[in-house]
Amino acid sequence: MNFWVIQGLNGLAFGSLLFILASGFSLIFGLMRIVNLSHGAYFMLGAYVGISAMAAGASFWTAILIGGIAIGALGAVIERLILRRLTGQPLAQVLVTLGIAFIIADACVWIWTGDPRPVPMPRELAGAFRVHQLAFPIYRLFVIGIAFALAAALWFLLERTRLGAMIRAGVDDLNMARAIGIRTSVLFPVVFCLGSALAGAGGVLAGPILSVYPGLDTDMLPLALVVVILGGVGSLLGAFVGSLIIGFIYSYGQALFPDLAYMILFLPMVLVLTLRPTGLFGRQAI
Amino acid sequence: MNPASRPQAVLALLAIAALLAMPWLVTSDYYINIATQVVIAAILAMSLNLLVGFGGMISLGHASYLGVAAYLTIYLSTHAGLGSLASALIAIATTTLLAMLFGYLALRASGLGLLMITLALGQILWGIAYRWASLTGGDNGLGGPVRPRPFGIDLMNPTAFFYFTLIFLVLAAWLISRFVQSGLGQSLQGARDQPRRMRALGYNVWMVQWLSFVFAGFWGAIAGMLYAYYHQFVSPQALHLTTSAETLLMVVAGGTGTLFGPVVGAALVVILKNVVSAYITRWLMLLGVVFVAIVLFMPEGIVPGLRRLRAAMKMQPASSARSALPVTEERPT
C-alpha cells in the first residue's frame, strides 16, 4: 500500500516537471510549428545557470528567477537572430535548433565540467511530510503545487486574455489568424521567449530532484516529444494529462522493472499513435 | 538513360576508380581506415537520403538501424555462437523487420510529427542499449567479433576490408539509384511534392512511403553490419541521437535528393571528426556550429551548390530550382 502511494506521488512530481518542460515545447510547436530541439538543452542550461547563481550567493528562489530570465532572453535572441530568417522552412528550423542544442550541451560540459552536480534544496522545503507511516519529501509536494499553479496560470492566459486568444487563433489556423490582422511578428517572439523561460526555470526547479549532469538534455527532450505526441499537438490539457501519464509510468516502471523503465516510457506513445494518431486531446494530426 | 544522368554516371565511374586506387595512393593504414569509415558512413547517409531527399521524410532516428544491426551482428556471432554469415544475415533481416515496425509507427504522422516519432523511437533503442546491461553490456558495450574470412581472404587486413566495404557502397549506390528511377521511386518523389494529388491519382502513398522506409532501413542495416566488423565493438553511442544527427548532417551538407551528396557529406563529416578529435575535444560543439552554418549559409548542400556554380559559369540557369530543403509540412484542413 505504502509503495503504491509513495510511487504515485513520485510519479506526480516527475510528471509535474515534465509538464513544465512540455508546456513550453507544446506552445512553441503549436503556434510556430517549430520542433524546438534545443528545448532539452534550455532546460539543462537553466539548471546550470541556477547552480552558478546559487554558488554566487543567490537564494533558491532567486536562482529560479535568474534561470528563467536568462534562458528566456537566450530564446528571444535565438528567435530574433536565427529562427526569424528561417520562417516557413521547417527542416531548416529543426536542424538549426538541433545544432544549437549541441553547442549548448558542449558549452555546459566546458564550463561546468562533466561531473554531475547535486542541487541543494531550499532549506524551507527540506524534510518530509508525514501522515501515519508515510513520509514524503516536502519539496516534491511543492513541485507538484507549482505545476498545478502553472497549469492554471497558462489556462488563464490562453483562455481569458487577449494574448491567449491570439495564440489560440494562431494554433488553430495560422494563415487565417494572419489574415484577420493578428501580428505574428509580435506573437512569435513572445511565445518563444515564454516557452524558453519555462524550460530554464523548470531546469532549476528540477535540480534538487534530478540533479544536473551532461546528457540531461537528451534524456528530457524525447520525453517532451512523447508527452506532446501523446497529449495532442498544441493542447495544453493534452500536455498536462500526457505529463502525468508519463510521470506515473516512469515512477512505477522504475520501481518495478528498473532495466526496462526507459523503454516502458515510450509504450503509451506507440499505443496512442496506433489507435489515435491525433493524440489524446489533439484535433489535428501531427 | 536520360541526358541529365550521363554526367552523373561518368562521375560515378570516376569516383569508383578513385576509391579503388585509394590503397595505392595512400599507403598508411590510418588513412585507409578513415576511408573505410567514410564508406560505411556513406552507405548509411545514402539510405537516409532516400527518406529525406527523395521521400521528404525527415528521420532523426536513423542510427537505430546502424546500432541494432551492429549489436545483433556482434551478439549473435560472439555471445550466441553463430557463424559470421548467419549472424550477419539474421542481423540484417531482423533490423529490416524493425524498420517495418518503425515505418508503420512513424508514418502515422507526416512532416514534423514523423521527425519527432523517429527521434523518440531511436531514443527507446538507445535506452535499451544503455540500461539493459545484462543483454547489451550497458555503457561498456559489446565487443569481440573477429572479421570474417570470406573465401579465405583475411579481412583483418585494412586494405582488404576497405575493398569489402567498397563492394557494398557500389551495390548501395547502384540499387538505390535504380530504386529512385523506378516507378516506385518516382511515385515516392511525387508523394514528397504533391501527396494529395498522388492520392487523387490513385497511388497508395502510404504504401510507397512505407516500402521506401523499409528499403532505407535495409541499407542502414548493411551499414550497421559493416560498422560492427570495422570497430569490432558497439556501444550505445551507435544508437545515440548524435549519431542520427551526424548522418542527417552528412545528407544535408552533401545535398539532399542527390545521389552522391551523401557520399561527399559523409567524407566531410568523418574527416572533420577525425581531424578535430586529434586536436581538440569539442566535436559536439563543432558539429552544432557546422549545422547552424550549413543551414544559414549553404542550405542546398555542397553537390547542388557546385552544380549551380558550374551552371552559372556556363551562363546557364541552374537545372533544379526546387527549394533545397524539402518542405514536408502537409497540414490537413
Side-chain angles (χ1 to χ4, degrees):
Chain A
M1 179 61 199
N2 278 2
F3 167 82
W4 295 99
V5 174
I6 291 286
Q7 292 305 332
L9 280 170
N10 276 337
L12 204 56
F14 188 66
S16 298
L17 292 177
L18 280 183
F19 174 69
I20 297 168
L21 180 74
S23 56
F25 181 89
S26 181
L27 268 180
I28 292 170
F29 182 60
L31 181 68
M32 303 167 74
R33 308 298 293 179
I34 292 179
V35 177
N36 180 18
L37 294 181
S38 314
H39 208 72
Y42 290 173
F43 184 82
M44 181 171 76
L45 184 61
Y48 276 123
V49 168
I51 288 177
S52 286
M54 278 184 266
S59 75
F60 186 76
W61 314 107
T62 326
I64 291 182
L65 208 62
I66 292 175
I69 291 172
I71 308 304
L74 176 72
V77 169
I78 287 171
E79 200 279 336
R80 175 94 222 178
L81 292 185
I82 298 178
L83 291 174
R84 188 168 295 185
R85 298 178 185 203
L86 303 173
T87 309
Q89 303 175 43
L91 175 60
Q93 291 167 339
V94 166
L95 295 180
V96 156
T97 55
L98 185 62
I100 293 170
F102 288 160
I103 296 173
I104 293 177
D106 216 22
C108 286
V109 176
W110 207 350
I111 300 172
W112 287 281
T113 76
D115 301 325
R117 297 288 183 101
V119 181
M121 210 171 275
R123 212 176 307 119
E124 307 88 298
L125 298 177
F129 182 77
R130 285 171 202 285
V131 183
H132 301 299
Q133 293 150 348
L134 290 175
F136 195 75
I138 293 173
Y139 185 74
R140 296 191 178 211
L141 292 175
F142 165 75
V143 169
I144 295 169
I146 291 275
F148 276 82
L150 175 68
L154 284 175
W155 175 84
F156 184 83
L157 173 78
L158 286 174
E159 301 289 331
R160 289 286 180 271
T161 65
R162 190 178 161 73
L163 178 68
M166 294 196 291
I167 293 175
R168 275 184 293 132
V171 169
D172 278 349
D173 191 333
L174 193 56
N175 291 328
M176 185 57 77
R178 283 205 184 103
I180 61 170
I182 291 173
R183 291 174 59 193
T184 49
S185 59
V186 180
L187 203 54
F188 281 6
V190 169
V191 166
F192 199 85
C193 183
L194 177 69
S196 310
L198 277 176
V204 187
L205 199 65
I209 296 180
L210 301 177
S211 90
V212 189
Y213 54 92
L216 180 65
D217 52 341
T218 44
D219 277 358
M220 295 305 278
L221 176 70
L223 296 181
L225 299 186
V226 168
V227 165
V228 169
I229 295 171
L230 185 64
V233 168
S235 161
L236 192 65
L237 180 64
F240 190 69
V241 174
S243 301
L244 294 186
I245 293 175
I246 299 294
F248 283 125
I249 290 176
Y250 180 76
S251 173
Y252 288 116
Q254 194 80 306
L256 297 171
F257 321 97
D259 272 355
L260 296 177
Y262 196 75
M263 181 173 76
I264 294 172
L265 275 180
F266 295 87
L267 283 182
M269 176 190 83
V270 172
L271 205 66
V272 164
L273 275 176
T274 318
L275 300 175
R276 195 181 150 81
T278 54
L280 293 175
F281 297 94
R283 274 160 300 151
Q284 59 194 19
I286 46 172
Chain B
M1 189 183 284
N2 62 48
S5 65
R6 190 167 304 146
Q8 256 199 357
V10 173
L11 217 66
L13 287 176
L14 278 176
I16 291 170
L19 284 169
L20 281 175
M22 252 289 296
W24 280 284
L25 297 176
V26 292
T27 43
S28 139
D29 282 354
Y30 174 76
Y31 290 108
I32 291 173
N33 278 333
I34 287 188
T36 310
Q37 285 184 42
V38 170
V39 169
I40 296 172
I43 296 173
L44 187 68
M46 268 187 174
S47 75
L48 178 60
N49 187 36
L50 191 62
L51 298 180
V52 175
F54 296 102
M57 299 180 275
I58 326 275
S59 161
L60 255 179
H62 213 62
S64 305
Y65 314 114
L66 179 86
V68 168
Y71 265 105
L72 282 171
T73 303
I74 293 186
Y75 188 85
L76 291 173
S77 59
T78 55
H79 293 68
L82 267 67
S84 54
L85 183 66
S87 306
L89 289 178
I90 295 175
I92 292 165
T94 313
T95 309
T96 311
L97 284 174
L98 182 81
M100 290 182 183
L101 174 69
F102 278 17
Y104 174 78
L105 291 170
L107 287 170
R108 307 295 295 188
S110 67
L112 296 173
L114 185 135
L115 180 140
M116 297 202 291
I117 295 168
T118 50
L119 195 162
L121 290 172
Q123 287 302 104
I124 299 183
L125 293 178
W126 175 82
I128 295 175
Y130 189 67
R131 314 267 163 103
W132 201 350
S134 54
L135 187 71
T136 63
D139 211 11
N140 296 325
L142 283 183
V146 179
R147 289 177 194 164
R149 297 175 62 101
F151 313 112
I153 301 165
D154 185 11
L155 292 182
M156 292 305 286
N157 177 330
T159 309
F161 189 69
F162 172 72
Y163 282 129
F164 180 70
T165 56
L166 202 55
I167 294 171
F168 286 97
L169 178 68
V170 172
L171 269 178
W174 181 53
L175 290 173
I176 289 177
S177 72
R178 285 296 298 269
F179 181 89
V180 169
Q181 286 163 14
S182 72
L184 188 64
Q186 294 291 322
S187 51
L188 177 69
Q189 292 167 64
R192 170 195 65 196
D193 297 331
Q194 295 284 352
R196 213 170 294 167
R197 191 174 296 176
M198 290 297 283
R199 251 177 239 125
L201 287 171
Y203 286 91
N204 186 343
V205 166
W206 189 91
M207 185 57 79
V208 168
Q209 292 181 330
W210 185 72
L211 288 174
S212 309
F213 206 97
V214 175
F215 191 58
F218 168 78
W219 285 108
I222 298 278
M225 183 262 297
L226 296 172
Y227 177 98
Y229 285 146
Y230 174 75
H231 292 284
Q232 307 183 50
F233 170 76
V234 60
S235 75
Q237 184 59 37
L239 287 162
H240 196 258
L241 173 62
T242 320
T243 307
S244 290
E246 278 172 15
T247 313
L248 187 62
L249 181 64
M250 292 171 194
V251 173
V252 173
T256 55
T258 60
L259 195 56
F260 291 102
V263 183
V264 175
L268 180 80
V269 171
V270 169
I271 291 170
L272 202 59
K273 191 174 185 173
N274 278 284
V275 170
V276 168
S277 63
Y279 296 101
I280 52 169
T281 53
R282 300 260 82 90
W283 164 243
L284 197 61
M285 184 171 289
L286 185 77
L287 185 68
V289 172
V290 172
F291 252 104
V292 175
I294 292 257
V295 170
L296 288 182
F297 303 116
M298 205 174 46
E300 58 184 4
I302 294 169
V303 168
L306 289 178
R307 200 177 289 165
R308 178 164 302 194
L309 195 69
R310 211 185 57 158
M313 283 181 345
K314 282 187 186 169
M315 298 296 285
Q316 286 170 351
S319 56
S320 84
R322 203 171 63 75
S323 77
L325 300 178
V327 176
T328 58
E329 205 50 12
E330 187 206 355
R331 290 184 76 168
T333 43

